[in-house]
Amino acid sequence: MSADQLDAFTRFFDSARLIEAALSRHLLAEHNMALGDYEVLVHLDGADGALRLTELADRCVSPRSTISQTLVRLEDRGWIRREKAVGDARGALAHLLPAGDEALAAAAPKHAEIIKRHLLDCWSAAELAVIGRAMDASAERLRELRP
């Protein structure tokens, strides 16, 4: 790794950790919600309220064991419901419940504001396009490493 590559990675990693910490602080302080909870709710909402557990795990960045713990916590709060998939004895679905939808709706505006103010507004449209393409390429390679 060259010095320039190390410098770029260090700046990227620091920014990623800082935005993650800011989002986590907001969710925990104002909504008693972990960032992983928010991630699951967003994916369920984006899938019209239901996903097979395997598909949900594939979409989330968190490890599968963490997703499993998150689902238990969200179910205990009445935000999601898990059930066996009809016609598939081994499959299961997660459903977003109205209380989970309400929790997501309450957290989303400030969550988006933090992302926009502290990250997206720092870049021009051209920079956003380049960053988007770069992150797509990285994510594709990194997903190959997942167990």
Side-chain angles (χ1 to χ4, degrees):
M1 180 182 314
S2 73
D4 287 344
Q5 288 172 325
L6 178 60
D7 181 56
F9 170 76
T10 300
R11 288 184 287 143
F12 158 77
F13 193 68
D14 288 351
S15 289
R17 298 285 305 266
L18 288 166
I19 193 70
E20 183 176 357
L23 293 170
S24 292
R25 277 191 308 273
H26 154 251
L27 290 170
L28 191 58
E30 296 182 28
H31 303 281
N32 194 28
M33 182 187 307
L35 189 56
D37 299 348
Y38 189 86
E39 178 185 27
V40 167
L41 295 174
V42 164
H43 285 299
L44 290 174
D45 183 61
D48 294 325
L51 277 173
R52 293 180 65 84
L53 296 185
T54 53
E55 176 68 19
L56 179 60
D58 287 344
R59 291 183 185 196
C60 290
V61 176
S62 302
R64 288 182 189 265
S65 60
T66 303
I67 298 297
S68 181
Q69 295 167 5
T70 299
L71 293 174
V72 168
R73 187 172 53 252
L74 295 176
E75 199 166 31
D76 288 347
R77 293 183 83 166
W79 290 0
I80 68 153
R81 179 184 76 244
R82 289 184 288 176
E83 65 182 26
K84 293 194 180 296
V86 175
D88 183 356
R90 294 180 53 182
L93 296 168
H95 293 272
L96 182 62
L97 297 177
D101 191 43
E102 291 169 12
L104 179 61
K110 182 143 184 206
H111 190 85
E113 176 191 324
I114 291 168
I115 293 168
K116 188 171 182 329
R117 180 173 181 220
H118 297 289
L119 196 66
L120 302 177
D121 285 350
C122 298
W123 301 320
S124 69
E127 289 169 324
L128 281 170
V130 170
I131 291 166
R133 287 191 302 275
M135 293 302 102
D136 285 347
S138 296
E140 185 177 330
R141 285 188 183 184
L142 289 166
R143 288 189 191 280
E144 293 172 2
L145 299 175
R146 293 176 79 177

